Amino acid sequence: MVGILTFHWADDYGAMLQAYALKRQLELLGERTELIPYAPVKLTGRYWPCPVCAERRPEGLRYELNRYMLARHLSMGGGFWRRRQKMRAFRRTYLTARPPIRRAADISLAPYKTVFVGSDQVWNPDITVDLDDAYVGGIPRRGDCRLAAYAASLGGNPLLPEDREKFAKCVGGGFSAVSLRERTDADWVEKLIGRPVRDVLDPVLLLDRGEWEALSRPPAAGDAIVVYATQPNEDLMGQARALSARLGRRIVSLSRPDTLSRDPGSLAGIQMELDGGPREFLGWIRSACCVLTNSFHATAFSALLEKPFLSFRHSGRSVRQTDLLRKLGLSSRLWDPDREDLWTGTDWAAVRGRLAEERAASRRFILENL
């Protein structure tokens, strides 16, 4: 049996869909596969109705109720609960229904021949609140299981000096093979651990368009300008408004107001769709007339579903988008304020060719490590 250690616990569209994709790809290769239900409180607490967040301190982790996030949940009203319910249903149906394991020391890898760690930002201490033992291989009960990192990511965030020794020791010495999602990070990690590191596709790109269309749940009325932002970006909103005026189409946001714009007054007239799960998220992108986003996974799905789109840089993690768009020959889809013709036609046949080559190399890495 093959195991996966990743961010399946996150109530986040991209995190859940990449976990689904790697599990599905392994099953298509004929492997019996399961998500290891590792879900520590320091990571899952931020998604609770009364969110508890962990902070790294010299004396250890400190937990606090996050009042800002609590106010945000309350502001969403019933939408928060409907979204949460759909996330939990997706996780139980497609990922795992097993009870959560809260500590790395309680994980047993003995049932597995191989465990793939990743994808997503499993090696970004800003997200995992210190380097997490489970994701860097610090699991005492390993048996004969091999660990391989598949499309792991640091999010373009170089490790602090105090984290590098632990990372090099655990990952360099404990993993049979290492691959990262971003070539930029792969080059840096290769030097740190003194071993070859491959760059591979995010799992969502391993599955073909038909797989995602079958999973999606489109809205009753699509053909909208869909925006999805993980942090406020006024250029994104300005382009969405301009397109709406030019095309006569409504704007639909899959983002909370606080991640869409710093000015709540600028959101008047935008249709807010905040209560969907992963299937509804896919459905909105599939049915969109165009997509504007600064999210990596919304960028990936726009490319997969061959939608006209613009990807805007994230202030702290834009390397994810730039590397992906470069691989697929879609760098022109990255927002550039100096370009006049932003919506030139895309040679989707050429994109499919590049994607096929990258898929073959990524699947080869998986097969080599089963």
Side-chain angles (χ1 to χ4, degrees):
M1 182 162 58
V2 177
I4 299 172
L5 268 171
T6 189
F7 288 175
H8 78 284
W9 42 260
D11 285 351
D12 176 270
Y13 301 129
M16 296 184 80
L17 290 169
Q18 64 82 23
Y20 168 87
L22 184 54
K23 183 172 183 285
R24 176 66 176 151
Q25 176 63 77
L26 287 163
E27 290 169 345
L28 289 171
L29 291 172
E31 298 292 335
R32 189 160 65 95
T33 307
E34 67 178 23
L35 267 293
I36 298 171
Y38 177 62
V41 170
K42 68 173 183 176
L43 302 180
T44 60
R46 69 191 72 168
Y47 296 101
W48 293 353
C50 290
V52 174
C53 293
E55 182 181 359
R56 179 162 61 167
R57 295 289 182 89
E59 65 275 13
L61 295 182
R62 177 180 175 181
Y63 292 85
E64 287 186 346
L65 173 69
N66 190 305
R67 291 177 173 80
Y68 168 76
M69 292 176 70
L70 175 60
R72 187 177 67 193
H73 292 172
L74 292 173
S75 72
M76 292 173 65
F80 171 81
W81 295 102
R82 290 189 293 273
R83 182 179 185 273
R84 178 176 168 81
Q85 184 179 32
K86 289 172 183 173
M87 292 284 190
R88 289 164 68 90
F90 185 92
R91 187 177 294 112
R92 287 194 303 268
T93 302
Y94 297 104
L95 303 181
T96 181
R98 294 169 60 197
I101 299 172
R102 299 301 188 188
R103 302 189 311 150
D106 294 332
I107 299 172
S108 173
L109 302 184
Y112 310 103
K113 62 176 182 177
T114 299
V115 166
F116 287 100
V117 178
S119 177
D120 226 322
Q121 297 180 66
V122 292
W123 291 341
N124 184 347
D126 288 348
I127 290 179
T128 58
V129 195
D130 205 347
L131 282 177
D132 187 271
D133 285 340
Y135 297 128
V136 296
I139 299 172
R141 296 188 292 159
R142 285 186 57 168
D144 296 325
C145 176
R146 294 190 307 167
L147 288 178
Y150 181 80
S153 176
L154 289 82
N157 185 18
L159 297 173
L160 296 172
E162 57 265 33
D163 291 325
R164 293 176 188 173
E165 182 178 354
K166 177 181 178 179
F167 183 89
K169 179 181 177 181
C170 292
V171 175
F175 281 67
S176 61
V178 178
S179 68
L180 270 73
R181 190 174 63 186
E182 291 85 30
R183 182 66 251 171
T184 307
D185 281 348
D187 291 336
W188 185 82
V189 170
E190 192 168 85
K191 293 175 183 176
L192 181 63
I193 67 175
R195 291 175 50 193
V197 173
R198 305 254 288 272
D199 65 298
V200 294
L201 290 175
D202 184 275
V204 304
L205 293 154
L206 294 174
L207 302 183
D208 64 28
R209 179 176 178 174
E211 289 270 350
W212 293 117
E213 289 179 340
L215 185 66
S216 70
R217 185 172 285 164
D223 208 27
I225 297 167
V226 170
V227 297
Y228 182 62
T230 56
Q231 66 175 190
N233 187 302
E234 300 311 323
D235 287 330
L236 187 157
M237 289 306 302
Q239 282 298 306
R241 292 285 190 192
L243 271 177
S244 178
R246 179 154 63 92
L247 301 177
R249 303 280 173 82
R250 73 192 192 284
I251 301 173
V252 171
S253 171
L254 309 181
S255 310
R256 297 183 309 269
D258 61 308
T259 59
L260 191 59
S261 175
R262 294 183 180 87
D263 177 16
S266 69
L267 304 180
I270 294 177
Q271 179 179 332
M272 309 298 291
E273 293 289 337
L274 306 179
D275 59 357
R279 297 184 68 188
E280 288 76 16
F281 173 80
L282 284 172
W284 276 110
I285 293 180
R286 178 185 174 189
S287 68
C289 71
C290 57
V291 178
L292 295 92
T293 185
N294 57 12
S295 152
F296 171 85
H297 281 108
T299 297
F301 281 115
S302 297
L304 270 169
L305 299 173
E306 299 186 4
K307 291 291 172 179
F309 74 95
L310 278 179
S311 186
F312 293 74
R313 286 179 173 84
H314 188 284
S315 64
R317 299 191 290 269
S318 65
V319 66
R320 301 183 298 165
Q321 288 122 289
T322 54
D323 274 12
L324 171 63
L325 295 174
R326 175 187 50 77
K327 279 183 180 180
L328 300 182
L330 286 169
S331 295
S332 63
R333 298 297 87 217
L334 191 65
W335 159 252
D336 181 348
D338 296 325
R339 284 186 57 224
E340 294 183 2
D341 191 0
L342 294 169
W343 296 99
T344 53
T346 299
D347 184 351
W348 289 112
V351 173
R352 289 192 290 272
R354 285 174 175 258
L355 183 54
E357 292 177 4
E358 294 289 344
R359 273 182 181 151
S362 297
R363 287 172 179 158
R364 190 158 53 247
F365 177 88
I366 292 173
L367 289 167
E368 288 169 0
N369 290 285
L370 285 174

